[in-house]
Amino acid sequence: MSRNYDFTVNGKAVSVALDNEDTPLLDVLRNALGLMGTRFGCGLEQCGCCMVLIDGQPEKACARPIFAVAGKAVTTIEGLGTADKPHPLQQAFLDEQAGQCGYCLSGIIVSAKALLDRNPAPTRSEIAEALDGNICRCGSHNRILRAVEKAAAAMKAEAR
């Protein structure tokens, strides 16, 4: 028997009918809602490819059951900016060429967004600590750190 799960995704109310309350949020985002930016990596909450914000907190979506987000606000990479007006983090990652294959970047950018929301002027070590749960195998770590620093500076300048 199917049950409706109501929550908000990227500022829009959604209702998804599912037979299994343990269906992972990641599956719902990708398969039911067509939001392909959040990636499946390990499926064990170890790599961070599936990172989303749930009520503003960075959370891994691959093993989070859909019932756990009922009534909550979920933000995916698609909710941060657009091609015409990218979020400062997205623009900084482009400017710094911080991705090679790009597979992990949506999770990294979402984690960085959570960091900058709570700490608009993080140190390099605070950035590294905030991104510790995100694995990038391409070796772009220095460019990723520079991109987050650049985005923090851009967001500070926009706030003035």
Side-chain angles (χ1 to χ4, degrees), residues 32-56:
L33 301 176
L35 297 169
M36 305 305 274
T38 305
R39 310 276 192 208
F40 179 86
C42 66
L44 301 170
E45 296 186 322
Q46 300 295 308
C47 71
C49 285
C50 64
M51 196 70 71
V52 297
L53 300 178
I54 299 175
D55 287 343

Side-chain angles (χ1 to χ4, degrees), residues 120-143:
T123 64
R124 186 166 269 230
S125 65
E126 289 170 329
I127 295 168
E129 183 178 331
L131 300 181
D132 189 50
N134 297 86
I135 296 173
C136 172
R137 299 200 186 278
C138 293
S140 301
H141 298 88
N142 287 327
R143 287 181 282 167

